[in-house]
Amino acid sequence: MLDHVFISVSDIDRSIAFYEAALAPLGIFHAVDYDGRQGPPGHPDLKGFGANGRVFFWLRESVVEGRAAHVGFVAEGKAQVNAAHAAAIAAGAIEIHPPGPQLHYDPRYYAAQVRDPDGYSLEFVYKEWQH
């Protein structure tokens, strides 16, 4: 199980606004800012997002290699997938695939996929058998 993921973004303020909008339907919120000066030399400033008392998704302003990462976020049902997809599109995401069953994986795998402003692939996922 993963504890956390960092991604580099080109415009931290734009990315914070995007992720605040896109992740809110999943109950994931901008939870904490970390001042890199508190860490070892060279540690970046971080903007953390999380839910249920855990911060697990972090943004750092740096060089972007947008197509180098794909991040899947857990949804609690099809309605959350649909809402996160709609929120991401409204916040400026580019659609990769609309919400629907991902039959190439499993008929119970329901998801939508978008690209964030830096080109990262984001997936909002509901796997019926895991809930």
Side-chain angles (χ1 to χ4, degrees):
M1 176 179 284
L2 296 175
D3 181 71
H4 62 274
V5 173
F6 290 7
I7 64 169
S8 297
V9 297
S10 61
D11 180 331
I12 195 72
D13 293 327
R14 176 187 70 184
S15 291
I16 290 169
F18 172 81
Y19 281 101
E20 285 175 342
L23 300 180
L26 303 175
I28 300 171
F29 299 97
H30 181 185
V32 66
D33 293 340
Y34 178 80
D35 183 338
R37 293 176 295 182
Q38 296 172 346
H43 197 293
D45 291 341
L46 300 169
K47 307 301 180 181
F49 289 74
N52 303 319
R54 292 192 64 233
V55 180
F56 49 85
F57 182 69
W58 296 87
L59 305 177
R60 63 179 171 206
E61 194 162 44
S62 187
V63 176
V64 171
E65 296 181 34
R67 298 201 183 244
H70 170 84
V71 181
F73 292 96
V74 173
E76 295 298 322
K78 293 176 183 179
Q80 273 194 347
V81 170
N82 297 345
H85 173 265
I89 295 296
I94 297 170
E95 184 175 79
I96 297 171
H97 68 72
Q102 303 304 297
L103 300 176
H104 50 281
Y105 295 132
D106 186 286
R108 301 166 297 162
Y109 188 125
Y110 188 89
Q113 195 172 346
V114 300
R115 288 208 185 279
D116 84 348
D118 284 304
Y120 292 108
S121 169
L122 308 177
E123 189 172 13
F124 310 115
V125 181
Y126 173 65
K127 295 177 181 174
E128 183 181 314
W129 68 93
Q130 292 181 343
H131 294 278

